[in-house]
């Protein structure tokens, strides 16, 4: 797994490449917490090249969402069919903002909200 980070206005975009299982989840958590500790309040996970994620990785996303509440915003874009199925099965599609493309996610995040 690799994470590529970039700034798009006030939105921090973290592109995750590869797979996130129990081993990589610790690294993902460390990187995400570092982003949040630097003051990121609007965070977009670009999952276009994320091939696989398990419950340990999903836990990191919940931690990020909790950390950003109530004045931050969190969204996900580009979920592959396999990853989207995991999100839907767990119910994340009902509690987290999911967008098909980065462009679709950036507009509401730039405005401070991320409702899909």
């Amino acid at each position: 797994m690799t994470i590529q980070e970039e700034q798009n206005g006030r939105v921090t975009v973290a592109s995750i490449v590869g797979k996130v299982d129990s081993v990589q989840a610790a690294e993902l958590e460390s990187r995400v917490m570092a982003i949040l500790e630097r003051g990121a309040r609007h965070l977009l996970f670009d999952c276009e090249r994320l091939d696989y994620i398990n419950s340990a990785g999903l836990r990191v996303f919940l931690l990020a969402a909790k950390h950003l509440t109530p004045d931050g915003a969190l969204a996900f874009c580009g979920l592959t069919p396999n990853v989207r199925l995991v999100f839907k099965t767990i119910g994340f599609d009902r509690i987290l903002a999911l967008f098909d493309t980065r462009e679709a996610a950036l507009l509401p995040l730039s405005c401070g909200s991320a409702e899909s």
Side-chain angles (χ1 to χ4, degrees):
M1 174 200 71
T2 61
I3 301 172
Q4 300 166 340
E5 187 183 331
E6 65 185 83
Q7 202 63 36
N8 188 310
R10 67 188 219 163
V11 179
T12 302
V13 180
S15 300
I16 305 171
V17 179
K19 67 177 187 170
V20 178
D21 59 21
S22 298
V23 174
Q24 289 89 15
E27 179 186 347
L28 176 63
E29 182 174 351
S30 176
R31 292 285 304 274
V32 169
M33 290 302 120
I35 291 168
L36 296 172
E37 287 170 7
R38 286 195 308 266
R41 301 304 306 149
H42 301 89
L43 181 57
L44 173 60
F45 287 103
D46 187 332
C47 301
E48 186 174 49
R49 297 189 301 164
L50 177 62
D51 301 318
Y52 170 84
I53 191 163
N54 71 2
S55 59
L58 294 173
R59 179 187 153 279
V60 175
F61 294 150
L62 283 180
L63 287 172
K66 185 175 181 178
H67 187 86
L68 288 168
T69 303
D71 61 345
L74 174 68
F76 298 82
C77 69
L79 279 71
T80 62
N82 290 339
V83 172
R84 185 174 285 277
L85 179 61
V86 171
F87 271 62
K88 185 174 182 171
T89 301
I90 300 298
F92 276 18
D93 61 326
R94 293 187 303 272
I95 62 171
L96 297 172
L98 309 180
F99 297 89
D100 290 334
T101 66
R102 182 185 286 210
E103 294 75 23
L106 283 172
L107 181 61
L109 278 173
S110 296
C111 297
S113 72
E115 295 184 21
S116 57

